[in-house]
């Protein structure tokens, strides 16, 4: 399939691959979409920056939320819906929340059908554990490695289909035809630096989040927001980008592991938070739910305790699970035990852990239509963490894994239908491809100059700015100052320069990511300036909590005609009666 | 986070940091490709609790931008950062620098697979093997009724993070290059849970014997020694499979019984 | 113990294969000498190498070089030779396939890729291990019988230091035998679902118990080898009058 076999002048060779559907990202969401489309007999290609099975999904520990009521039989999709909306402070896409609550159980069963093994109840059913802000015990889990089970099951399922997997391949641009519809993407292989032009009738974006914009993060190098910005550049609308979740409990010591996640499962299993005075302080913040309050609340509590000078030795708070004893911990949280013992010399069966909030998840993202995850750009669908809407202002633990499968599947269906209904070609002018290739190669091939910047240092500088100005408490002055700094860094992005050649060159790869990081940071800060209230994870010290005027508003950001960021306040469509009623009842204190 | 005012509550932490000149650590890292290369010595500042991956990434960020290494989770969950330290496969994110105090730290790529560059090897062969394994299948509809007692022994093989270090250290692959005939320990681990799963109704014993080449394994247990998640690969996956294969192919009494029973079935149906 | 293990790990890689080879060779020489040249019984004690063959005559049809214990010894010998653990030990120590796991050791593996057949060619015979296991049950039964014989002598009941050795030996040999992988397979390893069949729960419990024993199979293999050796040496030292068997409880009951 080699096109343009000879390289003449500055024309580059590239390979052409054609598929009905191109899926960008092989986390839970991307793979679920791939299985859906592949089983329908369509030709599917799935692209991932890492090896297969190494996406963020593998790191999820706690579990997957689904109202299957195996442990608490009163549970229902209605209560799951209410919990999700409440957690998201009611700016969620209510239709997505409804679909999610209704379809999660089916996705859990489907995993089991494909060979996933969850912990069992004594009756031989799937066991469920409690988690923050879920009314009932709801998280299907297997020890503290649920994400591993999920991704391995999906991976084996994908490998059993005809899906073509492109590992360690990075997409750098969505390719659009004259009418603006997405007809493929350009990518390069990390191993060899060769380019591939994917032609596809439909494309599904499933690239995960952008936790790498912060220094203290639970995310890997992959979490740079590629998909969000690729879609944004293609003209897609983004929703509520200001909503970034801080997980209450990240490791703090030693420095090398700062930000590494300590699963919410620890609190789910009865772990207790204490300050340096030995006080269990969650009673001051949420006396009812204590440690199992929603993440935004617990994160701010931990943050405030340290701010007030009641922090631990290395600037965190204490999380104590010693009551479970060695046996209990090895049964429920073996990975955590190993992680602390090996990396921090702490035996969590005997001593408390030191923890502090770490950036974890991005609720905002590409705006999608709720039934089949179509973005506002024709031919482009999105699912998983890179899309936005379901989680509103704050995501509940465990709602992401279920989100991936529910909407990964639906995005797959959307793409299938789109392919079936459209007969368009996928050709684009070769010049578009060549221009993009030149842009990608530029940091390596351009001659060195005095202005050259290191991609690593620039990324690190940006992370510092975000830590300082857009952290889990925010105010207008700091945000504006932050925006100024981000824009200054944005101007320096074209100066990024790397050495070495195309062969597996991490410097070059990092040089690609920096563009996404900067753009996504700009969107976050701009939206955060607009939303003048405290709501979920957006915590504006200079404004009140849950300001009515923002209560039914999503902030939609979009690339303007001059390349500037356009932000629109958009009202959330009125919630239908059957759902409104549920929320009403629950507000009155009734369980449904 | 100190920028935000959450400075450490106790002065102790800072006191350590100010303690005279910073300690340095030396690493010899393989730089090169399959065609060849050499060990290059680097020096980085030692931080408390530093793992080898931290040191490598520091070198990458500060000295050698194109130093190739794989990593993702930094928490021994994903199995990306496998490489060899002093000739033994290790997860770089789990190997503390202070473990090697006083000794050398030589870091190189996995050698049972073609080296791409520096610390990165081409492990794609593993995914091809994975693809040919007969996947889980059950005729029953989930949700299954399955008891903890029946599945508790499956959690162990399910822990596998696909670091492929067992594949790297296995002499059948590493020394004898039997990649064509041998699936490697990682995939016996997978075959084991598939075969022992109470709901799965496939029979893979022929594949395990013929295609996966379980007979090539001489149970010398190097795979077990290196597994970072502590799977007793040889004892709990390979040997049980060997026993099942023996039931099917090497046990004269069982063979005779099958013959007799088979004949009886045959005669009753005719 | 763990510090010993840690220190052991720090030694150069070749220490382990050489030690194993040395011990196995020494054991081989000793046992051959005993079987070919020595007797097997002294007072109430029977050498564990001989067991019930101690008083037997070799049958007339057997060639001259066959001694009585050889009629029995093929069982434990075959059992150990085909044992999954000893296989590991001798593939490493004698065949260097590989001698140890780090790169520098593996590079010394002598066989070329074409010649390496693992357990496919000759060693496929190791698959008969289970039959040696079944045969070993008889040997075990006799060894228990003979251990009891050391306390219930013709004169009545007595406990001497030797009895402790005999019991220690048979306990270790039993632990070795019942921690066998083939046994583990037999009792439950060959099943996929315990709750699906009647009596499955008992099978599962047995299987779990054997699995726990099995985790220490290598240790049992060594301990029982040494206990065999010591018991036999003790017998010969007593018989030679070098030491006296100290009687703790004479003619009790
Ligand atoms: C430590 C941790 C613990 C968590 N625990 C839980 C939990 O207990 N429960 C829960 O519900 N959620 C949890 N989450 C959240 C959840 O795991 C993630 O939100 C979810 O896995 C995201 O899945 P995804 O499919 O959207 O994307 P990811 O799994 O992030 O996958 C993204 C994919 O896109 C690819 N990609 C990205 N950019 C490009 C590009 N430019 N070109 C090609 N490919 C690209 C990547 O290589 C990757 O394959 C946790 C997250 C973390 C980090
Ligand atoms: S036990 Fe078998 S699979 Fe494991 S390393 Fe040795 S030969 Fe390879
Ligand atoms: S079995 Fe162990 S060593 Fe092998 S790939 Fe899995 S985790 Fe790695
Ligand atoms: S980086 Fe994931 S295992 Fe080391
Ligand atoms: S495995 Fe060692 S005796 Fe059977």
């Amino acid at each position: 399939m080699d096109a343009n076999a000879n390289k003449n002048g500055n024309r580059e060779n590239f390979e052409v691959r054609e598929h009905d559907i191109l899926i960008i990202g092989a986390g839970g969401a991307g793979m679920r979409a791939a299985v859906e489309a592949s089983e329908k007999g369509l030709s599917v290609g799935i692209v991932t920056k890492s090896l297969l099975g190494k996406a963020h999904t593998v790191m999820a520990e706690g579990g997957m939320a689904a109202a299957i009521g195996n442990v608490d039989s009163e549970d229902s999709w209605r209560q799951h819906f209410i919990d999700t909306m409440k957690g998201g402070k009611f700016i969620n896409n209510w239709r997505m929340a409804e679909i999610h609550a209704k379809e999660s159980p089916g996705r859990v069963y489907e995993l089991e059908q494909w060979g996933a093994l969850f912990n069992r109840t004594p009756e031989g059913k799937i066991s469920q554990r409690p988690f923050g802000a879920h009314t009932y015990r709801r998280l299907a889990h297997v020890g503290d490695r649920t994400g591993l089970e999920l991704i391995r099951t999906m991976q084996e399922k994908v490998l059993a289909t005809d899906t073509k997997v492109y590992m360690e391949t990075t997409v750098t641009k969505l390719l659009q035809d004259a009418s603006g519809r997405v007809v493929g993407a350009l990518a390069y292989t990390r191993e060899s630096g060769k380019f591939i032009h994917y032609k596809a009738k439909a494309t599904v974006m499933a690239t995960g989040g952008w936790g790498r914009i912060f220094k203290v993060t639970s995310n890997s190098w992959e979490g740079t927001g590629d998909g969000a910005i690729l879609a944004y550049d293609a003209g897609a609308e983004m929703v509520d980008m200001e909503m970034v979740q801080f997980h209450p409990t990240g490791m703090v010591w030693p420095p090398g592991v700062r930000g590494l996640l300590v699963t919410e499962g620890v609190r789910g299993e009865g772990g207790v938070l204490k300050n340096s005075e030995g006080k269990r302080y969650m009673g001051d913040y949420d006396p009812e739910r204590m440690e199992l309050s929603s993440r935004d609340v617990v994160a701010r509590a931990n943050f405030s305790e340290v701010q007030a000078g009641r922090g631990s030795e290395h600037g965190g708070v204490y999380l104590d699970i010693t009551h479970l004893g060695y046996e209990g911990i090895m049964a429920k949280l073996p990975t955590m035990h190993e992680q602390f013992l090996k990396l921090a010399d702490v035996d969590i069966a005997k001593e408390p852990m030191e923890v502090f909030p770490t950036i974890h998840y991005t609720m905002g993202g590409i705006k999608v239509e709720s039934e089949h995850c179509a973005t506002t750009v024709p031919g482009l669908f999105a699912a998983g963490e890179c899309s936005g809407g379901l989680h509103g202002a704050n995501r509940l633990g465990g709602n992401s894994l279920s989100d991936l499968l529910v909407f990964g599947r639906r995005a797959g269906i959307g793409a299938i239908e789109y392919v079936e209904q459209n007969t368009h070609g996928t050709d684009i002018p070769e010049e578009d491809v060549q221009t993009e290739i030149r842009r990608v190669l530029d940091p390596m091939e351009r001659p060195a100059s005095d202005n050259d910047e290191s991609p690593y240092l620039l990324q690190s500088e940006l992370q510092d700015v975000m830590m300082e100005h857009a952290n889990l408490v925010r105010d207008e002055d700091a945000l504006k100052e932050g925006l100024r700094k981000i824009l200054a860094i944005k101007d320096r992005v074209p100066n990024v320069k790397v050495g070495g050649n195309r062969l597996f060159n991490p410097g070059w790869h990092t040089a690609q990511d920096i563009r996404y990081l900067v753009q996504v940071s700009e969107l976050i800060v701009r939206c955060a300036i607009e939303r003048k209230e405290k709501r979920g994870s957006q915590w504006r010290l200079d404004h009140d909590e849950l300001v009515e005027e923002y209560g039914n508003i999503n902030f939609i950001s979009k690339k303007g005609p001059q390349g500037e960021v356009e932000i629109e306040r958009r009202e959330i469509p009125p919630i239908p009666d059957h759902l409104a009623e549920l929320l009403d009842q629950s507000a009155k204190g009734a369980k449904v | 986070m100190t920028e935000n005012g959450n400075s450490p509550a106790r002065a102790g932490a800072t006191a350590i940091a100010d303690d005279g000149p910073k300690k340095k650590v030396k690493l010899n890292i393989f730089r090169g490709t399959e065609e060849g290369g050499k060990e290059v010595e680097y020096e980085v500042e030692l931080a408390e609790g530093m793992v080898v991956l931290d040191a490598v990434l520091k070198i990458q960020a500060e000295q050698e931008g194109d130093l190739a290494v794989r990593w993702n989770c930094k928490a021994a969950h994903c199995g990306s950062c496998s490489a060899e330290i002093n000739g033994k496969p290790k997860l770089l994110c789990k190997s503390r620098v202070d473990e090697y105090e006083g000794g050398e730290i030589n870091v190189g790529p996995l050698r049972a697979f073609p080296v791409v560059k520096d610390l990165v090897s081409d492990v794609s062969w593993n995914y091809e093997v994975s693809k040919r394994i007969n996947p889980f299948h059950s005729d029953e509809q989930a949700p299954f009724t399955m008891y903890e007692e029946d599945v508790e022994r499956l959690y162990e093989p399910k822990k596998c993070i696909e670091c492929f270090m067992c594949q790297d250290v296995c002499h059948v692959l590493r020394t004898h290059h039997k990649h064509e005939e041998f699936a490697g320990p990682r995939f016996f681990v997978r075959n084991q849970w598939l075969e022992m799963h109470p709901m799965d109704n496939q029979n893979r014993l022929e594949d395990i014997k013929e295609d996966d080449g379980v007979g090539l394994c001489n149970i010398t247990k190097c795979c077990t020694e290196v597994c970072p998640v502590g799977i007793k690969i040889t004892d709990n996956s390979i040997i049980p499979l060997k026993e099942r294969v023996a039931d099917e192919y090497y046990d004269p009494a069982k063979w005779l019984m099958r013959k007799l029973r088979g004949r009886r079935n045959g005669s009753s149906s005719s | 113990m763990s510090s010993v293990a840690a220190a052991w790990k720090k030694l150069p890689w070749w220490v382990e294969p050489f030690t194993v080879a040395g011990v196995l060779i020494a054991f081989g020489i000793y046992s051959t000498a005993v079987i070919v040249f020595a007797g097997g019984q002294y007072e109430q004690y029977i050498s564990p190498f001989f067991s019930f063959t101690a008083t037997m005559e070799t049958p007339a049809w057997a060639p001259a070089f066959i001694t009585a214990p050889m009629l029995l010894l093929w069982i434990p010998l075959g059992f150990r030779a085909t044992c999954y653990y000893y296989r590991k030990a001798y593939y490493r120590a004698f065949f260097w396939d590989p001698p140890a796991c780090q790169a520098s050791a593996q590079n010394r593996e002598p066989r070329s890729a074409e010649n390496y057949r693992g357990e496919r060619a000759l060693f496929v015979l190791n698959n008969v291990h289970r039959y040696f296991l079944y045969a070993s049950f008889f040997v075990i039964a006799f060894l228990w019988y003979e251990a009891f014989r050391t306390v219930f002598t013709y004169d009545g009941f007595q406990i001497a230091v030797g009895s402790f050795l005999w019991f220690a030996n048979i306990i270790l040999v039993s632990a070795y035998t019942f921690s066998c992988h083939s046994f583990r397979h037999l009792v439950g390893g060959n099943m996929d679902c315990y709750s699906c069949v009647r009596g499955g729960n008992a099978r599962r419990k047995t299987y779990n118990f054997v699995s726990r024993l099995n985790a220490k199979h290598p240790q049992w293999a060594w301990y029982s080898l040494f206990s065999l050796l010591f018991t036999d040496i003790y017998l010969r030292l007593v018989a030679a009058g070098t030491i006296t068997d100290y009687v703790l409880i004479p003619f009790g009951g």
Side-chain angles (χ1 to χ4, degrees):
Chain A
M1 278 235 169
D2 255 342
N4 319 309
N6 50 349
K7 182 178 169 178
N8 44 4
N10 55 1
R11 295 223 165 270
E12 266 283 325
N13 282 340
F14 59 86
E15 213 180 304
V16 178
R17 296 282 187 160
E18 279 186 68
H19 291 289
D20 291 324
I21 299 177
L22 174 70
I23 294 169
I24 308 175
M31 292 208 277
R32 186 61 190 83
V35 167
E36 196 64 28
S38 201
E39 292 200 327
K40 281 272 146 38
L42 298 190
S43 140
V44 180
I46 185 166
V47 187
T48 153
K49 285 204 284 187
S50 308
L51 296 171
L52 196 58
K54 312 293 181 195
H56 271 119
T57 307
V58 78
M59 289 148 73
E61 294 161 347
M64 169 169 174
I68 48 183
N70 282 352
V71 180
D72 291 319
S73 55
E74 314 86 82
D75 201 7
S76 65
W77 75 263
R78 292 175 205 87
Q79 190 62 48
H80 193 181
F81 166 79
I82 292 169
D83 290 345
T84 304
M85 292 297 290
K86 266 189 178 166
K89 304 291 175 209
F90 306 104
I91 58 166
N92 323 47
N93 178 325
W94 45 260
R95 176 61 185 146
M96 287 176 87
E98 182 187 8
I99 293 175
H100 171 253
K102 282 183 174 163
E103 292 187 359
S104 298
R107 299 287 78 77
V108 171
Y109 296 152
E110 179 180 83
L111 278 179
E112 187 164 273
Q113 188 80 53
W114 295 340
L117 178 61
F118 295 101
N119 285 151
R120 319 303 298 176
T121 66
E123 299 79 40
K125 297 180 184 165
I126 294 169
S127 174
Q128 295 179 280
R129 68 157 49 121
F131 235 54
H134 286 283
T135 306
Y136 296 108
R137 285 173 280 185
R138 191 176 281 149
L139 267 70
H141 62 276
V142 44
D144 49 6
R145 48 165 194 84
T146 316
L148 173 66
E149 191 68 22
L150 188 152
I151 203 164
R152 199 65 79 235
T153 306
M154 289 311 303
Q155 168 188 340
E156 284 161 7
K157 186 76 191 162
V158 165
L159 287 177
T161 66
D162 291 331
T163 305
K164 174 90 179 108
V165 183
Y166 302 90
M167 291 197 285
E168 301 200 309
T169 302
T170 306
V171 171
T172 65
K173 190 181 173 59
L174 293 175
L175 300 172
Q176 288 165 287
D177 66 10
S179 73
R181 74 161 102 216
V182 174
V183 290
L186 189 79
Y188 70 91
T189 57
R190 299 170 82 80
E191 199 171 284
S192 59
K194 295 205 177 95
F195 287 88
I196 304 179
H197 171 192
Y198 292 101
K199 293 182 167 185
K201 297 206 183 89
T203 302
V204 178
M205 198 56 92
T207 52
W210 37 96
R212 287 308 279 188
I213 50 174
F214 289 82
K215 189 147 270 174
V216 176
T217 175
S218 68
N219 283 202
S220 81
W221 62 268
E222 286 200 295
T224 45
D226 309 18
I229 298 309
L230 291 175
Y232 169 84
D233 281 342
E237 290 182 349
M238 317 294 283
V239 60
D240 290 336
M241 289 298 286
E242 71 279 13
M243 295 302 177
V244 171
Q245 179 169 74
F246 291 82
H247 193 288
T249 56
M251 286 177 83
V252 286
W253 194 256
V257 298
R258 183 144 207 186
L260 261 193
L261 194 75
V262 177
T263 172
E264 186 162 336
V266 175
R267 281 171 291 136
E269 300 294 343
V272 164
L273 287 164
K274 289 182 184 154
N275 59 24
S276 60
E277 295 161 3
K279 182 179 170 199
R280 184 177 175 189
Y281 53 79
M282 275 313 294
D284 302 347
Y285 298 87
D286 186 346
E288 207 175 298
R289 298 184 295 184
M290 300 294 282
E291 277 81 6
L292 288 182
S293 182
S294 59
R295 285 184 173 168
D296 53 330
V297 176
V298 184
R300 274 192 301 274
N302 297 355
F303 185 82
S304 314
E305 287 298 312
V306 176
Q307 288 267 293
R310 294 188 289 269
S312 66
E313 184 178 345
H314 302 111
V317 294
Y318 294 108
L319 174 61
D320 193 337
I321 187 75
T322 51
H323 71 275
L324 270 192
Y326 178 77
E327 296 287 315
I329 288 172
M330 289 320 276
K332 292 291 189 181
L333 303 160
T335 319
M336 278 300 115
H337 186 263
E338 163 95 5
Q339 184 174 317
F340 271 88
L341 196 61
K342 192 71 200 181
L343 299 176
D345 298 324
V346 168
D347 180 353
I348 65 170
K350 300 203 183 101
E351 317 159 57
M353 306 161 231
E354 275 184 83
V355 296
F356 194 73
T358 176
I359 185 170
H360 184 54
Y361 187 85
T362 50
M363 276 77 68
I366 308 167
K367 186 176 179 337
V368 291
E369 163 271 338
S370 30
E371 302 301 321
H372 289 132
C373 306
T375 67
T376 49
V377 180
L380 183 64
F381 297 77
E385 191 172 341
C386 69
S387 67
L390 166 62
H391 306 291
N394 177 46
R395 171 177 75 89
L396 300 191
N399 266 3
S400 171
L401 292 186
S402 40
D403 168 18
L404 303 182
L405 299 185
V406 168
F407 291 101
R409 171 174 163 273
R410 282 180 166 261
I413 295 174
I416 295 167
E417 287 176 357
Y418 182 84
V419 169
E420 281 166 355
Q421 287 159 10
N422 291 279
T423 50
H424 59 277
T426 51
D427 290 336
I428 54 151
E430 199 202 312
E431 196 40 42
D432 290 8
V433 176
Q434 292 294 347
T435 313
E436 174 61 9
I437 291 178
R438 277 195 295 276
R439 187 192 67 75
V440 174
L441 288 176
D442 181 66
M444 203 158 39
E445 301 200 329
R446 158 166 56 86
S449 89
D450 290 347
N451 297 335
D452 288 348
E453 304 258 6
S454 148
Y456 297 106
L457 298 185
L458 206 57
Q459 175 168 347
S460 162
E461 212 178 309
L462 177 75
Q463 290 170 333
D464 285 335
V465 172
M466 290 302 281
M467 291 295 286
E468 195 178 337
H469 297 283
N471 216 310
L472 81 175
V473 295
R474 303 169 172 177
D475 66 52
E476 180 121 9
D477 293 343
L479 284 168
K480 288 203 161 142
E481 174 69 11
L483 181 61
R484 205 184 49 71
K485 291 185 186 170
I486 291 168
L487 293 177
I489 293 178
K490 193 176 184 179
D491 288 339
R492 287 156 59 199
V493 171
N495 299 341
V496 164
K497 173 82 187 124
V498 295
N501 58 23
R502 292 192 202 182
L503 217 62
F504 212 112
N505 182 346
W508 183 41
H509 304 158
T510 309
Q512 306 302 321
D513 299 340
I514 183 79
R515 174 171 67 106
Y516 309 124
L517 290 167
V518 171
Q519 187 59 62
V520 92
S521 300
E522 183 189 346
L523 293 181
I524 290 172
V525 170
R526 283 192 190 275
C527 292
I529 293 173
E530 293 300 317
R531 191 178 279 281
K532 300 180 197 321
E533 61 168 344
K534 297 184 174 79
R535 181 179 296 273
S537 8
Q538 160 80 344
W539 205 254
R540 286 284 297 266
L541 291 173
D542 48 351
H543 291 281
D544 292 337
E545 193 165 353
L546 301 181
V547 175
E548 181 137 11
E549 108 175 75
Y550 295 106
N552 66 338
I553 293 292
N554 291 140
F555 284 96
I556 306 293
S557 36
K558 188 177 174 203
K559 192 171 186 171
Q562 258 68 56
E564 77 289 2
V565 179
E566 276 179 1
I567 295 181
E568 181 196 330
R569 291 167 62 137
R570 192 175 297 168
E571 268 191 38
I572 299 172
I575 188 164
D577 289 345
H578 72 283
L579 297 178
E581 206 173 297
L582 293 177
L583 297 179
D584 275 353
Q585 279 178 20
S586 130
K588 289 189 199 111
K591 283 187 177 172
V592 294
Chain B
M1 266 261 161
T2 29
E3 307 91 321
N4 254 352
N6 337 296
S7 47
R10 224 181 61 180
T14 20
I16 301 168
D18 292 343
D19 220 13
K22 294 264 171 71
K23 253 184 139 178
K24 301 259 185 175
V25 54
K26 278 197 187 121
L27 285 91
N28 301 313
I29 301 179
F30 175 85
R31 300 300 309 274
T33 62
E34 184 67 14
E35 275 77 58
K38 56 179 190 308
E39 302 233 307
V40 180
E41 186 180 287
Y42 297 96
E43 215 178 46
V44 282
E45 227 165 67
L46 184 70
E48 196 174 329
M50 190 180 225
V51 292
V52 176
L53 181 64
D54 291 332
V56 171
L57 290 178
K58 213 167 147 67
I59 294 167
Q60 190 188 63
E62 293 168 3
Q63 306 174 33
E64 297 275 349
D66 65 344
L67 169 58
V69 60
R70 279 198 189 101
W71 65 281
N72 280 68
C73 67
K74 274 195 101 243
H77 294 345
C78 74
S80 301
C81 63
S82 340
E84 292 183 9
I85 304 183
N86 299 340
K88 278 203 157 176
K90 295 270 181 196
L91 291 182
L92 296 181
C93 72
K94 207 184 159 194
S95 304
R96 294 269 291 259
V97 170
D98 48 20
E99 268 172 42
Y100 297 91
E101 193 133 20
E104 287 194 338
I105 307 180
N106 302 302
V107 195
L110 300 184
R111 290 288 183 179
F113 310 107
V115 177
V116 173
K117 186 184 156 197
D118 305 342
L119 303 180
V120 172
S121 303
D122 176 4
V123 294
S124 53
W125 170 80
N126 292 286
Y127 294 90
E128 286 159 28
V129 177
S130 180
K131 198 172 170 67
R132 72 165 196 245
I133 288 180
N134 185 359
F136 178 87
H137 181 83
S138 177
D139 285 337
E140 279 176 59
Q141 264 303 310
F144 302 141
T145 303
M146 244 178 350
Y147 295 94
E148 193 74 30
E149 299 91 89
D150 288 325
V151 297
E152 60 191 359
R153 62 181 172 178
L154 306 188
Y155 294 128
E156 181 184 357
K158 283 258 183 184
K159 283 194 302 197
C160 171
I161 57 174
E162 293 205 331
C163 64
F164 304 131
M165 300 204 298
C166 55
Q167 307 286 76
D168 179 54
V169 82
C170 176
H171 69 133
V172 182
L173 298 171
R174 187 193 182 96
T175 315
H176 301 305
H177 309 287
K178 304 264 184 207
H179 296 70
E180 296 284 311
E181 308 159 64
F182 188 63
R186 187 299 171 241
F187 295 103
F188 295 122
V189 167
R190 172 148 171 235
N191 270 314
Q192 178 231 329
W193 76 254
L194 283 167
E195 278 298 290
M196 289 192 175
H197 197 295
M199 290 296 163
D200 174 81
N201 65 359
Q202 303 291 295
N203 186 341
R204 300 173 185 76
L205 291 178
E206 189 181 343
D207 298 350
I208 291 170
K209 176 171 175 279
E210 301 299 334
D211 302 346
D212 301 340
V214 75
L216 284 171
C217 161
N218 67 351
I219 51 173
T220 35
K221 290 201 185 178
C222 289
C223 50
T224 307
E225 280 183 25
V226 302
C227 179
V229 294
I231 302 173
K232 299 268 178 284
I233 304 174
T234 321
D235 287 338
N236 292 344
S237 296
I238 298 179
I239 295 179
L241 288 177
K242 281 190 174 240
E243 282 291 314
R244 287 184 178 212
V245 168
D247 274 353
E248 190 80 18
Y249 295 98
Y250 302 117
D251 190 323
K254 290 228 159 74
W255 176 82
L256 199 68
M257 241 149 66
R258 266 197 304 272
K259 273 270 156 175
L260 290 176
R261 218 177 282 146
R263 202 167 296 155
R264 207 182 310 136
N265 288 348
S267 58
S268 67
S269 68
S270 63
Chain C
M1 187 60 213
S2 64
S3 64
V4 175
W8 179 255
K9 269 193 190 162
K10 286 226 166 69
L11 294 174
W13 62 261
W14 47 264
V15 174
E16 190 173 315
F18 277 110
T19 314
V20 170
V23 171
L24 289 180
I25 289 171
F27 183 83
I29 293 174
Y30 177 87
S31 51
T32 315
V34 164
I35 296 160
V36 178
F37 302 114
Q41 186 163 28
Y42 179 72
E43 300 192 335
Q44 74 270 37
Y45 300 119
I46 294 175
S47 158
F49 283 104
F50 284 65
S51 190
F52 63 85
T53 64
T55 53
M56 269 170 64
E57 297 281 319
T58 42
W61 48 261
F65 62 87
I66 296 281
T67 63
M70 291 184 193
L71 296 175
L72 170 75
L73 270 179
W74 62 269
I75 297 175
L77 193 71
F79 187 45
R80 282 180 196 248
T82 58
C83 160
Y84 285 99
Y85 173 70
Y86 282 106
R87 269 142 80 179
K88 173 210 165 188
Y90 62 73
Y91 291 139
R92 279 197 186 196
F94 292 114
F95 296 90
W96 282 39
D97 245 354
C101 299
Q102 52 267 70
S104 50
Q106 297 209 348
N107 292 341
R108 294 183 189 249
E109 201 170 315
R111 241 151 303 284
S112 66
E114 306 83 70
N115 291 334
Y116 179 80
R117 307 278 295 130
E119 300 202 305
R120 273 193 160 170
L122 174 65
F123 290 113
V124 78
L125 289 174
N126 276 332
N127 281 306
V128 304
H129 182 57
R130 49 185 64 188
Y131 285 96
F132 284 109
L133 168 73
Y134 308 150
S136 291
F137 294 149
F138 293 103
V139 179
I140 293 273
F142 274 100
L143 288 177
W144 273 104
Y145 172 73
E146 280 142 17
F148 277 104
R149 277 274 305 281
T150 66
V151 292
F152 299 105
T153 61
Y154 296 118
D155 314 327
F157 180 77
Q158 86 160 35
I159 294 181
V161 171
S163 304
F164 278 105
L165 274 181
W166 257 256
F167 273 102
N169 177 48
I170 181 57
I171 287 170
L172 291 172
V173 170
S174 303
Y176 170 68
T177 308
F178 293 108
S179 63
C180 166
H181 280 283
S182 293
F183 188 63
R184 183 182 183 212
H185 175 72
L186 182 74
V187 298
N190 53 5
M191 293 174 70
D192 294 344
C193 180
Y194 301 105
S195 59
C196 309
V197 297
R198 214 176 315 140
N201 203 30
R203 290 275 298 270
R204 180 177 63 80
K205 285 189 175 143
T206 322
Y207 170 79
N208 284 349
F209 176 73
V210 172
S211 297
R212 270 199 300 279
L213 271 186
N214 177 268
K216 291 224 162 7
H217 191 61
Q219 281 89 325
W220 301 131
W222 287 118
Y223 297 159
S224 62
L225 195 76
F226 287 121
S227 74
L228 211 65
L229 204 62
F230 286 139
T231 315
D232 192 76
I233 293 176
Y234 184 83
L235 171 100
R236 292 182 202 289
L237 291 180
V238 173
T242 320
I243 53 171
T244 41
D245 186 28
Y246 188 69
V247 179
L248 300 167
I249 305 174
F251 296 104

